[in-house]
Amino acid sequence: MDIFKDLLKFTVVDIIDVILVALLLYYIYRLIKGTVAINIFIGIIIIYGAWMLTDFLNMELLTGIFGGFMKVGIIALIVVFQPEIRKFLLMVGSTNFGRRKKFFQQINFLKTEQTDETDVEAIISACNKMSLSKTGALIVFERNNNLDFLSSSGDEMNIKVTQPIIESIFFKNSPLHDGAIIVSNNVVKATRVILPVNNEKHIPQRFGLRHRAAIGVTEKTDALALVVSEETGHISYFKDGEFVVFEDSNELNNIIKTDLA
């Protein structure tokens, strides 16, 4: 009877509470998916479930043991999940509210100046040409997450995107070719940028540090990344820490434009 009474007290706020908790768990799972921490996370869920079960069955001794573990374990969790917590805070803290401001400016009928769009065709053309000469390249597209914290690791620029500019930056004898470039709103905002390298995800041996860096930056932010392999000349596209498959340059062009929209 008590259970039915509790169900009758279940309000809209309780439903929202359950949905928000479910979403939180889902995003935590996405954050640590593919890492060793996922096994620890599952173990914590199991222990928490056992704690709730022993409490429901009035097993006081086991409830006390599990409860003590959950209370003290928060310190251990901070240590164990330090990389994941840092990644989460990095994603939250790097949100570019300026993009939202631009959106509202665009819908303002008094606005006469149009916002430039990234010349994706020029970038892909440059990548195709560099692919033929096996010139390594790593291009990062900034979206909603502000990448200034990465730009500061390289040389800040303000160069309009053109095919010759992209090719000259990654030319093997160029002093700017080492590292990544960050493109935002049709502007190369930084060169020689040092990106976080993913060392956890298993990728084929034929892929090198550029590909791991592309995985790392697209995992930790909502950025997109293009890589031209120096060994094979193959062009790879990354989003959300994953390879995105495409048939040809036209399809790649459409995918990137859609993702940047």
Side-chain angles (χ1 to χ4, degrees):
M1 291 297 293
D2 292 337
I3 296 177
F4 290 111
K5 289 180 180 179
D6 291 337
L7 288 175
L8 291 175
K9 295 178 182 178
F10 208 70
T11 64
V12 175
V13 175
D14 295 320
I15 295 173
I16 296 174
D17 187 25
V18 171
I19 293 173
L20 291 177
V21 170
L23 287 173
L24 178 62
L25 292 176
Y26 169 72
Y27 282 110
I28 291 175
Y29 172 76
R30 282 192 58 187
L31 190 67
I32 63 178
K33 182 181 67 175
T35 68
V36 178
I38 185 62
N39 297 324
I40 302 173
F41 178 71
I42 293 172
I44 292 169
I45 295 298
I46 292 173
I47 292 175
Y48 182 77
W51 180 32
M52 292 292 98
L53 180 62
T54 54
D55 185 48
F56 177 76
L57 297 175
N58 294 321
M59 302 171 69
E60 296 182 2
L61 183 58
L62 282 175
T63 300
I65 293 173
F66 285 127
F69 176 82
M70 295 300 295
K71 292 173 183 177
V72 178
I74 188 65
I75 300 174
L77 290 180
I78 293 174
V79 176
V80 172
F81 286 101
Q82 187 271 335
E84 284 70 29
I85 293 173
R86 182 179 181 276
K87 185 191 301 184
F88 176 75
L89 295 176
L90 186 64
M91 291 174 63
V92 173
S94 62
T95 300
N96 188 353
F97 294 101
R99 290 291 182 88
R100 297 178 185 177
K101 183 178 179 182
K102 289 180 182 178
F103 170 76
F104 289 110
Q105 289 176 342
Q106 286 177 343
I107 64 176
N108 189 341
F109 71 95
L110 295 175
K111 183 177 176 63
T112 57
E113 183 181 351
Q114 296 296 323
T115 303
D116 292 333
E117 294 181 356
T118 298
D119 191 350
V120 179
E121 290 91 346
I123 294 175
I124 293 178
S125 296
C127 288
N128 286 330
K129 197 166 181 181
M130 291 186 290
S131 174
L132 295 175
S133 61
K134 293 185 178 180
T135 301
L138 176 51
I139 302 167
V140 177
F141 297 90
E142 182 182 74
R143 293 203 292 173
N144 293 323
N145 291 155
N146 190 301
L147 302 182
D148 287 348
F149 69 101
L150 292 175
S151 300
S152 60
S153 68
D155 298 325
E156 294 187 7
M157 300 283 176
N158 187 20
I159 312 172
K160 184 179 178 180
V161 170
T162 63
Q163 181 177 340
I165 285 293
I166 300 297
E167 291 178 23
S168 63
I169 288 174
F170 289 109
F171 180 63
K172 293 180 181 179
N173 293 329
S174 167
L176 303 177
H177 82 282
D178 196 19
I181 69 169
I182 295 178
V183 174
S184 177
N185 196 28
N186 206 43
V187 169
V188 178
K189 63 184 295 185
T191 59
R192 296 203 306 168
V193 176
I194 300 173
L195 299 180
V197 177
N198 181 291
N199 293 316
E200 299 171 344
K201 186 167 293 187
H202 297 289
I203 65 173
Q205 292 293 328
R206 65 180 181 275
F207 297 119
L209 287 177
R210 285 190 181 91
H211 297 82
R212 290 193 176 276
I215 292 174
V217 71
T218 56
E219 271 185 338
K220 293 175 172 61
T221 70
D222 70 345
L224 311 170
L226 267 178
V227 176
V228 180
S229 173
E230 191 172 358
E231 288 73 24
T232 65
H234 181 73
I235 300 174
S236 302
Y237 177 57
F238 297 86
K239 178 183 178 182
D240 297 329
E242 302 288 345
F243 285 86
V244 177
V245 180
F246 56 91
E247 291 291 333
D248 51 33
S249 296
N250 289 330
E251 183 179 0
L252 176 61
N253 177 60
N254 293 331
I255 292 173
I256 296 177
K257 282 187 174 181
T258 301
D259 291 337
L260 288 175

